[in-house]
Amino acid sequence: MGSKLKIIIAIAVLLPATLAAEPNHIPQPWRQDAVVLGRDDTASVERYLHELSFGHSQPAPSAIENGIRGTGGSVGSRRLYLDFRFRQDFGFNEDRQGFLLDIQRSEDFDGSYDRQLVGFRHQLTDATEVWLQGDVFADKSRSDVYLSGRHTFDNESWLHASWILPDFYFNDKTRSDDAFEDPAQSFFLQWHRPTGLHQHSGTTASVTYSPASTFDSRSEGLLVENETIRGALSHQFWRSHWQLRTALSGEHTRRYYNLDERAAGIPTMRDHLRVDAEAIYNNHRLEPGIGLHYFYLREKGYTGRTLDEIADLRRREPVLAGHVSLALTPAVTLKPAIYLSVADIEQTYSKSEDEDHHGFTGKFALPFEIVLSRKENAILTLAPTFYLHKAAFGGGNLQMHWPM
């Protein structure tokens, strides 16, 4: 209990990701494929340097803004990193009711995931509304149910709470011999307070807690217990000619696997922390920006059936980043960026090749930002990247941002 409390206190107190914390500002419920199958690849030395250099170039939207927001980049000859979301609230009856559509495609330490949430919201009072959403599949046993409420206060801050029931009908609807012994559920809580006149200014704190659950997968020959807490805290504001973004995100996961082929169980743990801070000076034609980032991961235990490995991972990666803006035409801006890190990485696997690195890593990026529609603020970004610690291409990046 003491380690869990430390994680909660860290998430709640340390204010100093910019855009990296966004996934944890969205509910991240228990996933069956995450605890049973896990990832399908091991992380390279440059894996998280890739994610940082492929991060969204545009300011993060507020939690209630609509639009399309996506970034994709090559992290290997056979692997693509993708973080995409399309959210739309189709309001009617003077916006007192609305149909909700939320399509997400991204990944975490347990692999990639897809969600297609459809639902309905209803305003009970001028300040309070309730939501009913579902991640619906043709196989009814795999459908998730989201029950949510949001209350807005006099200062325009609001509190949002969700009770999520993953694979809600699984035991009743599945055709397999798999079953929950202790049903999974997840709780999401988010608080947001706007500050200043800019629409993107404000503070947002989010946490998803998935209490202890037990799933028996006869199809994969294992029994797994899981408990996870994930959180994020971000703050974005403007001061004079400075645009400032700070954020923190983290994860604390504990699992216990019993595999049919092993007599003893396998305790499994993951602790993750990421801190980001960025400042951009807008009163100069180059609009220079600097960022400080820190990535920490400690993971030990079983990876899931896909890799079927016993892993022991330690990663500490501080990164210094900088960029400038060069207007090439009224619609095209070049924003060269550099990422410098001294990584401390130790990765040991029971089957795959171990991969350690202690020393310099770096990337140089040349993002071309193309304004497709100034009225709609639709922006397309194309960015080749290059390694600095070795003579090689660092992967290409494509981004699309279209507020609606």
Side-chain angles (χ1 to χ4, degrees):
M1 186 65 185
S3 60
K4 295 177 189 175
L5 184 60
K6 290 177 183 177
I7 294 293
I8 294 171
I9 292 174
I11 291 172
V13 175
L14 291 174
L15 184 59
T18 60
L19 311 177
E22 286 179 55
N24 284 353
H25 280 314
I26 301 172
Q28 298 291 343
W30 180 95
R31 303 196 320 270
Q32 185 180 145
D33 57 347
V35 301
V36 174
L37 300 178
R39 295 191 66 92
D40 61 1
D41 70 329
T42 59
S44 66
V45 167
E46 298 87 8
R47 184 65 175 83
Y48 302 109
L49 188 63
H50 283 313
E51 291 190 18
L52 181 60
S53 64
F54 297 156
H56 295 279
S57 63
Q58 301 305 305
S62 75
I64 57 176
E65 286 184 295
N66 297 320
I68 296 173
R69 179 176 176 80
T71 179
S74 175
V75 295
S77 60
R78 294 177 294 179
R79 190 77 185 180
L80 180 72
Y81 167 73
L82 184 64
D83 182 28
F84 172 86
R85 189 182 188 196
F86 171 37
R87 182 189 185 276
Q88 192 68 36
D89 182 339
F90 300 93
F92 55 91
N93 288 343
E94 298 180 340
D95 207 36
R96 297 188 67 86
Q97 295 171 309
F99 289 113
L100 303 171
L101 176 64
D102 192 347
I103 300 173
Q104 306 165 24
R105 176 171 291 182
S106 190
E107 64 179 73
D108 57 17
F109 297 114
D110 291 312
S112 56
Y113 59 84
D114 295 271
R115 300 190 186 105
Q116 300 182 59
L117 302 180
V118 294
F120 174 77
R121 65 169 175 83
H122 175 73
Q123 196 163 347
L124 297 177
T125 69
D126 289 342
T128 305
E129 59 187 29
V130 292
W131 299 13
L132 173 62
Q133 294 170 283
D135 190 4
V136 182
F137 294 84
D139 180 358
K140 295 180 181 179
S141 69
R142 301 305 303 271
S143 296
D144 300 349
V145 176
Y146 289 60
L147 304 171
S148 307
R150 176 176 291 173
H151 180 77
T152 303
F153 300 95
D154 292 340
N155 61 356
E156 296 186 0
S157 64
W158 45 260
L159 187 67
H160 183 102
S162 298
W163 180 28
I164 307 166
L165 303 169
D167 296 356
F168 181 56
Y169 304 102
F170 190 84
N171 282 8
D172 296 328
K173 303 293 185 180
T174 185
R175 295 182 178 180
S176 71
D177 293 327
D178 299 355
F180 283 106
E181 291 191 358
D182 298 307
Q185 56 183 331
S186 299
F187 301 94
F188 176 74
L189 188 66
Q190 183 175 76
W191 171 76
H192 175 75
R193 184 185 69 179
T195 56
L197 300 176
H198 197 281
Q199 63 175 343
H200 293 134
S201 296
T203 303
T204 304
S206 309
V207 63
T208 301
Y209 175 56
S210 299
S213 62
T214 306
F215 186 75
D216 185 8
S217 176
R218 292 300 84 215
S219 58
E220 296 294 340
L222 62 79
L223 178 79
V224 55
E225 303 171 15
N226 179 86
E227 184 176 12
T228 297
I229 183 169
R230 299 173 62 165
L233 180 63
S234 59
H235 184 57
Q236 188 166 252
F237 62 102
W238 273 252
R239 178 169 295 172
S240 183
H241 300 295
W242 289 93
Q243 177 184 347
L244 305 169
R245 307 171 188 163
T246 59
L248 170 75
S249 65
E251 176 185 342
H252 175 79
T253 293
R254 294 295 181 268
R255 292 178 183 150
Y256 193 85
Y257 286 91
N258 284 290
L259 308 183
D260 288 359
E261 68 272 20
R262 293 174 65 106
I266 307 174
T268 299
M269 58 81 70
R270 177 189 300 132
D271 288 323
H272 166 60
L273 183 68
R274 182 162 181 168
V275 182
D276 302 78
E278 185 179 47
I280 301 174
Y281 186 63
N282 294 312
N283 195 33
H284 190 279
R285 63 182 182 85
L286 295 180
E287 295 187 347
I290 188 170
L292 298 174
H293 312 269
Y294 180 74
F295 178 93
Y296 170 81
L297 176 66
R298 178 72 177 99
E299 191 167 0
K300 185 176 183 179
Y302 188 59
T303 61
R305 278 300 190 197
T306 302
L307 289 177
D308 201 29
E309 300 248 23
I310 305 297
D312 189 348
L313 313 178
R314 296 178 177 86
R315 301 183 70 117
R316 297 181 180 88
E317 301 176 51
V319 180
L320 173 66
H323 70 267
V324 295
S325 297
L326 303 170
L328 304 181
T329 72
V332 180
T333 302
L334 174 63
K335 294 187 173 182
I338 190 169
Y339 304 86
L340 306 174
S341 176
V342 179
D344 182 13
I345 301 171
E346 295 181 2
Q347 300 187 138
T348 303
Y349 301 94
S350 57
K351 299 178 183 178
S352 300
E353 183 179 350
D354 297 347
E355 191 162 12
D356 298 342
H357 183 86
H358 305 279
F360 173 69
T361 60
K363 289 186 76 176
F364 178 66
L366 288 172
F368 291 84
E369 189 176 283
I370 305 167
V371 179
L372 302 179
S373 172
R374 201 167 298 279
K375 179 181 178 182
E376 303 291 339
N377 199 26
I379 297 174
L380 176 71
T381 302
L382 303 171
T385 68
F386 306 89
Y387 292 124
L388 296 177
H389 58 285
K390 58 184 178 182
F393 181 60
N397 177 224
L398 173 66
Q399 299 188 27
M400 177 63 188
H401 299 89
W402 182 15
M404 294 182 178

PDB file of all heavy atoms in Angstrom, residues 18 22 53 71 74 117-118 142 167 189 198 274 326 338 342 365 380 387 403:
ATOM      1  N   THR A  18       4.284  17.738 -21.480  1.00  0.00           N
ATOM      2  CA  THR A  18       3.429  18.558 -22.288  1.00  0.00           C
ATOM      3  C   THR A  18       2.441  17.633 -22.927  1.00  0.00           C
ATOM      4  O   THR A  18       1.494  17.213 -22.294  1.00  0.00           O
ATOM      5  CB  THR A  18       4.237  19.312 -23.339  1.00  0.00           C
ATOM      6  OG1 THR A  18       4.896  18.363 -24.170  1.00  0.00           O
ATOM      7  CG2 THR A  18       5.278  20.215 -22.732  1.00  0.00           C
ATOM      8  N   GLU A  22      -1.115  13.142 -22.577  1.00  0.00           N
ATOM      9  CA  GLU A  22      -2.483  13.110 -23.070  1.00  0.00           C
ATOM     10  C   GLU A  22      -3.184  11.770 -22.934  1.00  0.00           C
ATOM     11  O   GLU A  22      -4.342  11.739 -22.529  1.00  0.00           O
ATOM     12  CB  GLU A  22      -2.519  13.559 -24.539  1.00  0.00           C
ATOM     13  CG  GLU A  22      -2.332  15.037 -24.717  1.00  0.00           C
ATOM     14  CD  GLU A  22      -2.361  15.416 -26.174  1.00  0.00           C
ATOM     15  OE1 GLU A  22      -3.337  15.082 -26.851  1.00  0.00           O
ATOM     16  OE2 GLU A  22      -1.392  16.019 -26.631  1.00  0.00           O
ATOM     17  N   SER A  53       9.951  12.604 -30.362  1.00  0.00           N
ATOM     18  CA  SER A  53      10.137  13.383 -31.593  1.00  0.00           C
ATOM     19  C   SER A  53       8.903  13.322 -32.494  1.00  0.00           C
ATOM     20  O   SER A  53       8.732  14.192 -33.359  1.00  0.00           O
ATOM     21  CB  SER A  53      11.366  12.881 -32.355  1.00  0.00           C
ATOM     22  OG  SER A  53      11.199  11.541 -32.787  1.00  0.00           O
ATOM     23  N   THR A  71      -1.008  11.444 -35.017  1.00  0.00           N
ATOM     24  CA  THR A  71       0.396  11.430 -35.393  1.00  0.00           C
ATOM     25  C   THR A  71       0.834   9.991 -35.595  1.00  0.00           C
ATOM     26  O   THR A  71       0.419   9.097 -34.856  1.00  0.00           O
ATOM     27  CB  THR A  71       1.289  12.113 -34.327  1.00  0.00           C
ATOM     28  OG1 THR A  71       2.658  12.045 -34.742  1.00  0.00           O
ATOM     29  CG2 THR A  71       1.152  11.452 -32.970  1.00  0.00           C
ATOM     30  N   SER A  74       7.458   6.097 -38.078  1.00  0.00           N
ATOM     31  CA  SER A  74       8.152   4.822 -38.184  1.00  0.00           C
ATOM     32  C   SER A  74       9.133   4.656 -37.031  1.00  0.00           C
ATOM     33  O   SER A  74      10.013   5.488 -36.821  1.00  0.00           O
ATOM     34  CB  SER A  74       8.892   4.743 -39.521  1.00  0.00           C
ATOM     35  OG  SER A  74       9.657   3.570 -39.602  1.00  0.00           O
ATOM     36  N   LEU A 117     -15.963   4.499 -29.161  1.00  0.00           N
ATOM     37  CA  LEU A 117     -17.012   4.767 -28.188  1.00  0.00           C
ATOM     38  C   LEU A 117     -18.157   5.522 -28.854  1.00  0.00           C
ATOM     39  O   LEU A 117     -17.952   6.544 -29.520  1.00  0.00           O
ATOM     40  CB  LEU A 117     -16.468   5.600 -27.029  1.00  0.00           C
ATOM     41  CG  LEU A 117     -15.283   5.018 -26.245  1.00  0.00           C
ATOM     42  CD1 LEU A 117     -14.866   5.966 -25.139  1.00  0.00           C
ATOM     43  CD2 LEU A 117     -15.632   3.662 -25.681  1.00  0.00           C
ATOM     44  N   VAL A 118     -19.349   5.016 -28.676  1.00  0.00           N
ATOM     45  CA  VAL A 118     -20.561   5.707 -29.118  1.00  0.00           C
ATOM     46  C   VAL A 118     -21.454   5.881 -27.896  1.00  0.00           C
ATOM     47  O   VAL A 118     -21.445   5.042 -26.987  1.00  0.00           O
ATOM     48  CB  VAL A 118     -21.297   4.924 -30.218  1.00  0.00           C
ATOM     49  CG1 VAL A 118     -20.464   4.869 -31.480  1.00  0.00           C
ATOM     50  CG2 VAL A 118     -21.645   3.513 -29.759  1.00  0.00           C
ATOM     51  N   ARG A 142     -17.240  -8.816 -25.566  1.00  0.00           N
ATOM     52  CA  ARG A 142     -16.085  -7.903 -25.544  1.00  0.00           C
ATOM     53  C   ARG A 142     -16.482  -6.441 -25.396  1.00  0.00           C
ATOM     54  O   ARG A 142     -15.628  -5.558 -25.429  1.00  0.00           O
ATOM     55  CB  ARG A 142     -15.258  -8.073 -26.824  1.00  0.00           C
ATOM     56  CG  ARG A 142     -14.721  -9.467 -27.055  1.00  0.00           C
ATOM     57  CD  ARG A 142     -13.897  -9.977 -25.879  1.00  0.00           C
ATOM     58  NE  ARG A 142     -12.783  -9.111 -25.554  1.00  0.00           N
ATOM     59  CZ  ARG A 142     -11.573  -9.219 -26.093  1.00  0.00           C
ATOM     60  NH1 ARG A 142     -11.332 -10.177 -26.976  1.00  0.00           N
ATOM     61  NH2 ARG A 142     -10.607  -8.403 -25.750  1.00  0.00           N
ATOM     62  N   ASP A 167     -15.593  -5.502 -20.758  1.00  0.00           N
ATOM     63  CA  ASP A 167     -16.101  -6.849 -21.085  1.00  0.00           C
ATOM     64  C   ASP A 167     -17.265  -7.201 -20.162  1.00  0.00           C
ATOM     65  O   ASP A 167     -17.318  -8.281 -19.554  1.00  0.00           O
ATOM     66  CB  ASP A 167     -14.982  -7.890 -20.940  1.00  0.00           C
ATOM     67  CG  ASP A 167     -13.848  -7.672 -21.931  1.00  0.00           C
ATOM     68  OD1 ASP A 167     -13.957  -6.772 -22.772  1.00  0.00           O
ATOM     69  OD2 ASP A 167     -12.851  -8.414 -21.855  1.00  0.00           O
ATOM     70  N   LEU A 189     -11.472   9.682 -12.935  1.00  0.00           N
ATOM     71  CA  LEU A 189     -11.827  10.974 -12.343  1.00  0.00           C
ATOM     72  C   LEU A 189     -10.951  12.042 -12.977  1.00  0.00           C
ATOM     73  O   LEU A 189      -9.729  11.882 -13.079  1.00  0.00           O
ATOM     74  CB  LEU A 189     -11.598  10.942 -10.825  1.00  0.00           C
ATOM     75  CG  LEU A 189     -12.097  12.156 -10.034  1.00  0.00           C
ATOM     76  CD1 LEU A 189     -13.618  12.247 -10.090  1.00  0.00           C
ATOM     77  CD2 LEU A 189     -11.627  12.064  -8.574  1.00  0.00           C
ATOM     78  N   HIS A 198      -6.989  32.476 -23.083  1.00  0.00           N
ATOM     79  CA  HIS A 198      -6.686  31.556 -24.176  1.00  0.00           C
ATOM     80  C   HIS A 198      -7.410  30.242 -23.958  1.00  0.00           C
ATOM     81  O   HIS A 198      -7.472  29.711 -22.843  1.00  0.00           O
ATOM     82  CB  HIS A 198      -5.181  31.318 -24.259  1.00  0.00           C
ATOM     83  CG  HIS A 198      -4.750  30.729 -25.561  1.00  0.00           C
ATOM     84  ND1 HIS A 198      -4.893  29.388 -25.854  1.00  0.00           N
ATOM     85  CD2 HIS A 198      -4.192  31.300 -26.668  1.00  0.00           C
ATOM     86  CE1 HIS A 198      -4.423  29.145 -27.063  1.00  0.00           C
ATOM     87  NE2 HIS A 198      -3.990  30.294 -27.580  1.00  0.00           N
ATOM     88  N   ARG A 274       6.840  10.048 -16.259  1.00  0.00           N
ATOM     89  CA  ARG A 274       7.320  10.926 -17.333  1.00  0.00           C
ATOM     90  C   ARG A 274       7.014  12.376 -16.973  1.00  0.00           C
ATOM     91  O   ARG A 274       5.885  12.714 -16.614  1.00  0.00           O
ATOM     92  CB  ARG A 274       6.662  10.568 -18.659  1.00  0.00           C
ATOM     93  CG  ARG A 274       7.162  11.420 -19.810  1.00  0.00           C
ATOM     94  CD  ARG A 274       6.847  10.792 -21.145  1.00  0.00           C
ATOM     95  NE  ARG A 274       7.353  11.593 -22.238  1.00  0.00           N
ATOM     96  CZ  ARG A 274       7.415  11.181 -23.495  1.00  0.00           C
ATOM     97  NH1 ARG A 274       7.003   9.959 -23.802  1.00  0.00           N
ATOM     98  NH2 ARG A 274       7.891  11.958 -24.436  1.00  0.00           N
ATOM     99  N   LEU A 326      10.657  28.623 -38.991  1.00  0.00           N
ATOM    100  CA  LEU A 326      11.079  29.387 -40.163  1.00  0.00           C
ATOM    101  C   LEU A 326       9.939  29.413 -41.168  1.00  0.00           C
ATOM    102  O   LEU A 326       9.596  28.390 -41.759  1.00  0.00           O
ATOM    103  CB  LEU A 326      12.328  28.734 -40.790  1.00  0.00           C
ATOM    104  CG  LEU A 326      13.541  28.553 -39.880  1.00  0.00           C
ATOM    105  CD1 LEU A 326      14.588  27.681 -40.570  1.00  0.00           C
ATOM    106  CD2 LEU A 326      14.130  29.905 -39.515  1.00  0.00           C
ATOM    107  N   ILE A 338      15.781  19.548 -32.372  1.00  0.00           N
ATOM    108  CA  ILE A 338      16.867  18.663 -31.977  1.00  0.00           C
ATOM    109  C   ILE A 338      16.536  18.061 -30.610  1.00  0.00           C
ATOM    110  O   ILE A 338      15.937  18.726 -29.744  1.00  0.00           O
ATOM    111  CB  ILE A 338      18.220  19.423 -31.934  1.00  0.00           C
ATOM    112  CG1 ILE A 338      19.377  18.449 -31.770  1.00  0.00           C
ATOM    113  CG2 ILE A 338      18.219  20.501 -30.862  1.00  0.00           C
ATOM    114  CD1 ILE A 338      20.731  19.098 -31.983  1.00  0.00           C
ATOM    115  N   VAL A 342      21.108  11.477 -22.712  1.00  0.00           N
ATOM    116  CA  VAL A 342      22.121  10.550 -22.199  1.00  0.00           C
ATOM    117  C   VAL A 342      21.338   9.443 -21.504  1.00  0.00           C
ATOM    118  O   VAL A 342      20.923   9.579 -20.350  1.00  0.00           O
ATOM    119  CB  VAL A 342      23.099  11.241 -21.236  1.00  0.00           C
ATOM    120  CG1 VAL A 342      24.123  10.233 -20.720  1.00  0.00           C
ATOM    121  CG2 VAL A 342      23.803  12.400 -21.930  1.00  0.00           C
ATOM    122  N   ALA A 365      15.084  16.583 -36.326  1.00  0.00           N
ATOM    123  CA  ALA A 365      13.839  16.506 -37.086  1.00  0.00           C
ATOM    124  C   ALA A 365      13.654  17.758 -37.932  1.00  0.00           C
ATOM    125  O   ALA A 365      14.045  18.859 -37.532  1.00  0.00           O
ATOM    126  CB  ALA A 365      12.648  16.328 -36.147  1.00  0.00           C
ATOM    127  N   LEU A 380      -1.419  20.032 -41.621  1.00  0.00           N
ATOM    128  CA  LEU A 380      -0.744  18.786 -41.954  1.00  0.00           C
ATOM    129  C   LEU A 380       0.749  18.982 -41.716  1.00  0.00           C
ATOM    130  O   LEU A 380       1.319  19.991 -42.124  1.00  0.00           O
ATOM    131  CB  LEU A 380      -1.003  18.412 -43.412  1.00  0.00           C
ATOM    132  CG  LEU A 380      -0.280  17.171 -43.950  1.00  0.00           C
ATOM    133  CD1 LEU A 380      -0.871  15.914 -43.338  1.00  0.00           C
ATOM    134  CD2 LEU A 380      -0.379  17.122 -45.479  1.00  0.00           C
ATOM    135  N   TYR A 387      19.042  10.238 -36.943  1.00  0.00           N
ATOM    136  CA  TYR A 387      19.767   9.961 -35.708  1.00  0.00           C
ATOM    137  C   TYR A 387      21.011  10.841 -35.624  1.00  0.00           C
ATOM    138  O   TYR A 387      21.634  11.163 -36.644  1.00  0.00           O
ATOM    139  CB  TYR A 387      20.191   8.496 -35.639  1.00  0.00           C
ATOM    140  CG  TYR A 387      19.052   7.525 -35.485  1.00  0.00           C
ATOM    141  CD1 TYR A 387      18.873   6.492 -36.400  1.00  0.00           C
ATOM    142  CD2 TYR A 387      18.175   7.613 -34.407  1.00  0.00           C
ATOM    143  CE1 TYR A 387      17.839   5.573 -36.258  1.00  0.00           C
ATOM    144  CE2 TYR A 387      17.139   6.712 -34.265  1.00  0.00           C
ATOM    145  CZ  TYR A 387      16.970   5.689 -35.191  1.00  0.00           C
ATOM    146  OH  TYR A 387      15.947   4.803 -35.039  1.00  0.00           O
ATOM    147  N   PRO A 403      -9.290  20.855 -35.772  1.00  0.00           N
ATOM    148  CA  PRO A 403     -10.359  21.129 -34.801  1.00  0.00           C
ATOM    149  C   PRO A 403     -11.690  21.270 -35.536  1.00  0.00           C
ATOM    150  O   PRO A 403     -11.748  21.739 -36.670  1.00  0.00           O
ATOM    151  CB  PRO A 403      -9.939  22.443 -34.152  1.00  0.00           C
ATOM    152  CG  PRO A 403      -8.499  22.613 -34.510  1.00  0.00           C
ATOM    153  CD  PRO A 403      -8.299  21.925 -35.817  1.00  0.00           C
TER     154      PRO A 403
END
